[in-house]
Amino acid sequence: MFTFSDDQQALIEAARATAQAELAPTVKADDEAELFRKDLFQRLGAAGLCGVPTAEQWGGLGLGYVEYALVIEEIAKVAPAYAVAVAVSGLPQVTLAQFGNDEQRARWMPGLAAGELLGAFALSEPGSGSDAGSLRTTAVREGNTYRLNGTKFWITHGGYADVYVVMARTGGPGPKGISAFLVPAGTPGLSFGKKEEKMGLRASPTVEMILEDAVIPVENRIGNEGNGFLVAMSALDSGRITIAATALGISQAALDCAGRYAVARKQFDQAIIDFQAVGFMLADMAVRIEQARLLTHKAAWLKDQRMPFSHIAAMAKCAATDCGMSVTTDAVQVLGGYGYTREYPLERLMRDAKVMQIVEGTNQVQRVVIARHLKRGWD
Ligand code: CAA
């Protein structure tokens, strides 16, 4: 738990080398152009980085979430948008692994794990974000098909993905009336609306998704009717570990940049790191990262042990993403005016860090999950 095996260390180094070679050259320009390059994602897949925890039988590396978190952190150090791409494309994989049948797994998992296919996850709607159980998209059974109607919001990879896990209502109101479906790209009636103009994570497309009489075969339902909320929450429990890992990568990259600057930059005839105000700031940043990393790896380890982990994943998501925001903010401060310019990556990392406190459940929702877990223990 506290040291990495030789295999884990080799995986870290491979992920680092791939991210540097494939993602570093265009990360700045792609942020400015708001450009997502599917070919770069596919190259991460070719290096084995898109299906780390997926079973070898289904085309993955068959490793655990600890290894997955290590890989995602390395990608995020270079290009957070692609760490999120790997994380989000992992949601259909973990969903099918847990709730799918063998036909669905055989159809989608090898391509997703290889990064040849890009996955997406469609839960949120214009009127239901944190209150996911109130979603209004409908799926009406008609013989051997379902007809889907509704609008999904904030869809990472909307219009780029090859397959979408879509939560839609098949029954009455509330969480128990929801089912989960696989909706392939190209399904008639599936279209995409506005692409969001975001503060950060600009190379990651966030798009409105429209379902207008989109008809899919009944075989595309994941699990039973009415278990869609469970499917979504289970996927997000795992996803929150990957968002935490992304925030760790952002934090570490910001600390390394600020630290190197503080060693090289001289004012009043000494390196600014030797001023206690700056040195302590860097030390506090390192403490926060180390705390968040331990919690993230604990959540991943619990999942790998098949032990209850959702409340620890929520803690890790809060800790790592709050860490990301505070560390990137302080890193900008260490560089002063230079930190505020686009000459350095820190302003971009700070913008990217902000959304990590929001995606896959706001940090307020994480605290709801944690508080409810605590309450159950005290009842
Ligand atoms: N695992 C298993 N079951 C769970 C669960 C979990 N993690 N969370 C809840 N459930 C079960 C509950 O036990 C309950 O079942 P019973 O009725 O049988 O007891 C049922 O689901 C309903 O649970 P709640 O009463 O707790 O539901 P709620 O309506 O109060 O909502 C919530 C709880 C935690 C706030 C939840 O709605 C939530 O997580 N909201 C945030 C949604 C979210 O993260 N959205 C992000 C979308 S993805 C994204 O960001 C974009 C992208 O591209 C990836």
Side-chain angles (χ1 to χ4, degrees), residues 124 130 154 156 176 229-230 233 236-237 240 360-361 372:
S124 303
S130 294
W154 316 118
T156 305
K176 300 231 180 312
F229 193 75
L230 172 64
M233 290 301 117
L236 288 170
D237 282 343
R240 287 164 186 165
E360 299 207 13
R372 286 184 183 176

Side-chain angles (χ1 to χ4, degrees), residues 96-379:
L96 291 180
Q98 206 175 342
F99 296 99
N101 58 40
D102 279 353
E103 287 74 35
Q104 293 168 340
R105 292 184 187 123
R107 168 72 185 87
W108 294 109
M109 283 171 78
L112 288 165
E116 288 156 9
L117 301 179
L118 181 66
F121 190 79
L123 174 65
S124 303
E125 298 182 358
S128 72
S130 294
D131 185 8
S134 69
L135 64 83
R136 295 172 65 170
T137 293
T138 55
V140 177
R141 177 92 184 244
E142 295 174 347
N144 286 332
T145 61
Y146 282 95
R147 183 179 295 273
L148 273 63
N149 278 288
T151 301
K152 294 289 182 184
F153 242 34
W154 316 118
I155 307 307
T156 305
H157 306 152
Y160 292 76
D162 299 285
V163 65
Y164 300 80
V165 171
V166 176
M167 267 50 70
R169 191 164 297 286
T170 48
K176 300 231 180 312
I178 297 170
S179 303
F181 300 92
L182 288 158
V183 178
T187 298
L190 170 64
S191 63
F192 296 91
K194 184 169 68 122
K195 182 180 172 210
E196 303 298 337
E197 294 176 349
K198 305 198 302 286
M199 171 194 286
L201 213 69
R202 291 183 179 171
S204 171
T206 306
V207 184
E208 178 186 23
M209 174 179 178
I210 300 149
L211 295 148
E212 273 174 321
D213 290 326
V215 176
I216 53 167
V218 77
E219 297 79 49
N220 285 21
R221 195 185 65 226
I222 304 170
N224 296 325
E225 268 200 13
N227 78 344
F229 193 75
L230 172 64
V231 169
M233 290 301 117
S234 303
L236 288 170
D237 282 343
S238 302
R240 287 164 186 165
I241 297 171
T242 66
I243 298 301
T246 303
L248 288 176
I250 292 172
S251 307
Q252 190 64 55
L255 175 60
D256 290 342
C257 179
R260 278 193 290 269
Y261 180 89
V263 169
R265 172 76 169 170
K266 288 202 168 55
Q267 290 289 277
F268 306 99
D269 297 326
Q270 64 174 8
I272 62 169
I273 195 170
D274 294 325
F275 289 104
Q276 203 176 64
V278 175
F280 278 20
M281 201 187 261
L282 292 162
D284 284 340
M285 290 153 77
V287 171
R288 286 196 290 270
I289 294 171
E290 198 61 25
Q291 287 171 331
R293 188 177 282 121
L294 285 171
L295 204 41
T296 303
H297 291 177
K298 178 171 178 179
W301 180 84
L302 287 171
K303 177 170 167 61
D304 291 341
Q305 306 309 308
R306 301 178 191 278
M307 291 165 76
F309 72 97
S310 66
H311 62 295
I312 304 290
M315 289 183 194
K317 200 270 185 185
C318 274
T321 64
D322 287 347
C323 163
M325 197 65 240
S326 87
V327 165
T328 55
T329 305
D330 286 350
V332 167
Q333 192 70 19
V334 168
L335 269 72
Y338 292 108
Y340 199 65
T341 69
R342 298 212 296 271
E343 187 183 339
Y344 287 86
L346 293 176
E347 62 82 30
R348 172 170 54 75
L349 291 170
M350 186 176 164
R351 290 187 282 106
D352 289 355
K354 181 62 212 171
V355 79
M356 299 301 149
Q357 295 178 303
I358 299 169
V359 288
E360 299 207 13
T362 63
N363 283 6
Q364 287 67 37
V365 160
Q366 308 310 317
R367 287 172 170 90
V368 169
V369 171
I370 297 162
R372 286 184 183 176
H373 174 85
L374 293 172
K375 187 180 169 200
R376 282 196 291 277
W378 292 325
D379 260 350

Side-chain angles (χ1 to χ4, degrees), residues 60-73:
L61 295 187
L63 300 173
Y65 262 65
V66 171
E67 286 80 10
Y68 196 23
L70 295 174
V71 164
I72 287 184
E73 179 176 343

